[in-house]
Amino acid sequence: PEWADLEGARSPRGEGGASQRGTPARATPAPVVEAHAEAPSKGWEYLDPTGEVQGPFGVEDMRLWYVAGFLDRALPVRCFSSDPFLPLDQLYPQGTEPF
């Protein structure tokens, strides 16, 4: 498990892994960011600064615009017209690559 690397990192007395009863101490695992399914290839829309819906666009266009710095992480986006708009960083939390 992912927490295996943390085993012994925090023991009750701060001694690398053994608790007072001789059993290994286990650190609480860090929360895992839920993996997202692959981004849909088409249907992406965003709200521009005036509140107008732009799109739909393909995932390749969205990826290129993101890499070029045109899409801010706070930009409201959705991948299906039936979905609500959410900030890009909510769909793809920090540490994950959008699109």
Side-chain angles (χ1 to χ4, degrees):
E2 292 178 14
W3 51 265
D5 292 336
L6 300 175
E7 191 169 324
R10 291 183 232 143
S11 70
R13 296 184 301 171
E15 299 170 3
S19 69
Q20 292 177 348
R21 296 182 184 235
T23 56
R26 294 186 186 221
T28 304
V32 176
V33 175
E34 190 174 313
H36 291 274
E38 187 173 319
S41 61
K42 57 186 175 183
W44 287 93
E45 298 177 332
Y46 68 88
L47 287 178
D48 70 17
T50 67
E52 294 292 319
V53 175
Q54 301 296 323
F57 302 105
V59 71
E60 287 301 317
D61 287 333
M62 296 294 283
R63 183 178 297 122
L64 289 172
W65 295 333
Y66 176 78
V67 170
F70 296 126
L71 304 180
D72 184 80
R73 291 195 64 87
L75 182 73
V77 298
R78 65 183 178 190
C79 52
F80 299 104
S81 60
S82 60
D83 290 342
F85 283 98
L86 295 173
L88 188 59
D89 63 354
Q90 189 173 343
L91 288 176
Y92 296 98
Q94 202 67 16
T96 59
E97 191 65 25
F99 311 108

